[in-house]
Amino acid sequence: MALPEWTVYLLCIASVCGGFYICRVVKCARKSAWKNSQIAKLMARSEKPLFWIAYSLYTRTKLGYIFHKRQMKKARERYPTGHSRAQPTIINGIKIIPVPILLDNYSYVVIDTASNTAVVVDPADPQPVQACLEAEGVALQAVLCTHKHWDHSGGNRALKRRYSSCRVYGNAMDNIPGLTHPLLDKDTIDFGTQLHFRAFYTPGHTVGHMIYLLDGRAIGGPSSLFSGDLVFLSGCGRMFEGNASTMLSSLDTVGSLNDDTLLWPGHEYAEDNLLFAADVEPGNVVREQKLQWVLQQRSQRLCTCPSTLLEEKQYNPFLRSHSQDLHQALGLQQKQDEDWTSYRARVLEELRRRKDIYKDR
C-alpha cells in the first residue's frame, strides 16, 4: 500500500487522543524508521482499522487541513519554483498551463485567450495558482474540483475570497470546500467563448469523484481530460471509497473517450507507474518506449503530461483489464460461471492490490 505521510501524522494524533492499542503500536515504532515500522506494515497489509482512522481524520476533520497547510509550507521550501518544469500547451486559442504544486501534484490553469477567461482545476495551493493567473493577466472565473482530498481542494476557499465572482464546481457527495455549484453526471459548463466542459461522475477513489472533459470540437483540436486521481499516466487512483466494480465502471468512462484526447492527471507519478507496469506486463513494447521517454524527461525535472488516451490504452494496465496478455501476465483466468465484467473487476482488483504494495506506493 502507499503509506501517505498524512496517515503517519494523523495516526500520531490519534495515538494521543484515542485507544490504548493505537498508542501502544505507535510507541513501538522508531520515528526515524517509520516506513519500516510494524504499524506501517500492518496498514500496508490490511488497510483496515488503523488506516481508516487516519483517513477519517484527514478527510472529515480540521486536522486534515492543518496537515495540508504544513505540507504546503514544506513543499514551498523544498521546491520554490515547483517540483517540475512545465510548459503551456496552446490549442487554437486555448492555453493549458500545468502548475506544479505540493510534492507531486498538478493544478491546471485553463485560459480562453479570446475572452481572457480562466478556470483552474484542483487548486490545492492557492499561491502558485494566483501567481500564474497574475502573470497571465487574467481573472479567475471558476474552480473545477475533482474531489475533496486537500491535495486537490485545499486552495478553493482562498481563491474564492481573492476572486469574489469565482464559482466552485464539484460533486456535492464529496463535501468539497467552498462548493457553490454542485454537479451531476454529464452536466455541461461553459466559460468564455470556447471553454465547454462536461463533467463525468467517476466514483471509486472517493464517493463523489468527478473528471472534466474540455470539448475540443469548439476549437478544432483534441479534447482534454482533467482526470484528478482517477487516471494517471500508466496508473489509476487507489480505491479509498469504492470497490473494484465501481472503479472499473469509472475507468470504462475514460476508455470510451476519443483516442486523441489529451490526459492531464492530478499527480506526477509517470516514472513509478511505468516501472510498475513493466513489473506486471514486461513484454509491452509501447510501455518500454514510453518509459525511456519519461526517464529522460524526469532526469531534467520536466513535466510528463499530457499523454493521450490512445497511448494509455496501450500501456496503462488499469485501462487494459480486457487484455489477454495482461491476464496471462497476472496468472488469472475467467471462471466458468464468471461474467466478463466481474472478471475484469477481479483483474483490476488484483492490479490495484499489487500496486498498493509496490515500492510502498
Side-chain angles (χ1 to χ4, degrees):
M1 145 189 168
L3 184 62
E5 190 178 346
W6 50 261
T7 62
V8 177
Y9 179 78
L10 295 175
L11 274 168
C12 287
I13 295 174
S15 71
V16 174
C17 304
F20 171 78
Y21 173 71
I22 296 175
C23 183
R24 182 181 175 186
V25 176
V26 171
K27 284 180 179 178
C28 78
R30 289 182 301 171
K31 191 173 183 180
S32 62
W34 178 265
K35 287 192 175 183
N36 294 321
S37 67
Q38 290 303 310
I39 189 170
K41 292 177 181 177
L42 175 61
M43 291 172 65
R45 186 169 60 250
S46 68
E47 266 192 33
K48 289 191 181 164
L50 301 179
F51 177 85
W52 293 115
I53 289 171
Y55 184 77
S56 295
L57 289 171
Y58 176 71
T59 58
R60 299 180 184 179
T61 75
K62 290 184 178 179
L63 293 174
Y65 183 64
I66 292 170
F67 172 74
H68 173 67
K69 292 204 313 187
R70 175 174 172 265
Q71 289 300 89
M72 282 195 295
K73 181 180 178 182
K74 288 174 60 177
R76 290 170 185 172
E77 292 171 350
R78 181 175 177 182
Y79 299 120
T81 59
H83 59 75
S84 301
R85 292 187 288 131
Q87 296 295 323
T89 294
I90 302 175
I91 308 170
N92 299 334
I94 300 298
K95 181 184 281 190
I96 300 173
I97 307 173
V99 182
I101 56 173
L102 301 176
L103 297 179
D104 54 33
N105 282 77
Y106 287 112
S107 296
Y108 296 97
V109 172
V110 186
I111 301 171
D112 175 6
T113 58
S115 62
N116 223 32
T117 299
V119 302
V120 61
V121 181
D122 286 356
D125 186 345
Q127 188 177 93
V129 170
Q130 185 175 328
C132 177
L133 293 167
E134 292 174 352
E136 294 293 325
V138 293
L140 182 62
Q141 187 167 349
V143 167
L144 305 181
C145 193
T146 61
H147 64 291
K148 64 192 173 190
H149 291 161
W150 293 110
D151 65 325
H152 292 259
S153 66
N156 290 3
R157 290 193 176 103
L159 289 173
K160 192 170 179 295
R161 287 193 298 269
R162 174 66 178 81
Y163 301 95
S164 57
S165 62
C166 175
R167 293 167 279 175
V168 178
Y169 293 83
N171 192 319
M173 295 175 67
D174 236 17
N175 193 29
I176 288 170
L179 182 68
T180 62
H181 288 66
L183 294 171
L184 299 174
D185 186 37
K186 296 184 176 62
D187 277 352
T188 58
I189 332 160
D190 298 330
F191 308 100
T193 58
Q194 300 185 98
L195 297 180
H196 305 295
F197 290 91
R198 183 178 293 274
F200 292 91
Y201 176 48
T202 53
H205 182 67
T206 65
V207 70
H209 194 285
M210 302 201 83
I211 57 177
Y212 298 93
L213 183 69
L214 175 61
D215 191 348
R217 291 173 298 180
I219 57 173
S223 297
S224 285
L225 179 65
F226 299 92
S227 59
D229 279 1
L230 174 62
V231 176
F232 311 119
L233 193 156
S234 194
C236 85
R238 294 182 57 205
M239 294 179 278
F240 285 127
E241 299 178 12
N243 57 29
S245 296
T246 302
M247 183 64 92
L248 178 64
S249 178
S250 295
L251 292 171
D252 282 348
T253 296
V254 173
S256 70
L257 301 176
N258 291 339
D259 284 349
D260 66 348
T261 301
L262 302 178
L263 178 68
W264 303 92
H267 289 267
E268 181 56 74
Y269 287 165
E271 182 177 343
D272 185 72
N273 285 343
L274 285 164
L275 289 171
F276 170 73
D279 198 51
V280 297
E281 200 176 6
N284 190 316
V285 176
V286 179
R287 185 268 315 147
E288 181 60 28
Q289 293 171 344
K290 187 69 174 185
L291 174 59
Q292 294 308 312
W293 178 82
V294 164
L295 291 173
Q296 183 179 25
Q297 291 290 103
R298 294 312 296 161
S299 70
Q300 304 171 68
R301 286 184 55 209
L302 294 175
C303 175
T304 61
C305 53
S307 61
T308 68
L309 291 189
L310 176 61
E311 290 180 280
E312 294 302 316
K313 291 172 185 177
Q314 294 178 82
Y315 57 63
N316 186 333
F318 297 96
L319 293 177
R320 291 168 51 75
S321 59
H322 60 279
S323 167
Q324 296 295 331
D325 290 341
L326 181 61
H327 300 167
Q328 292 177 9
L330 293 174
L332 295 177
Q333 291 184 335
Q334 187 175 4
K335 299 175 182 177
Q336 187 172 4
D337 60 346
E338 188 176 31
D339 66 67
W340 181 240
T341 301
S342 298
Y343 176 50
R344 289 178 58 222
R346 185 159 62 87
V347 171
L348 178 61
E349 186 173 35
E350 174 62 14
L351 276 172
R352 190 62 251 183
R353 184 192 69 81
R354 295 192 185 196
K355 184 63 170 70
D356 288 348
I357 62 176
Y358 177 78
K359 290 186 177 179
D360 290 329
R361 173 169 287 171

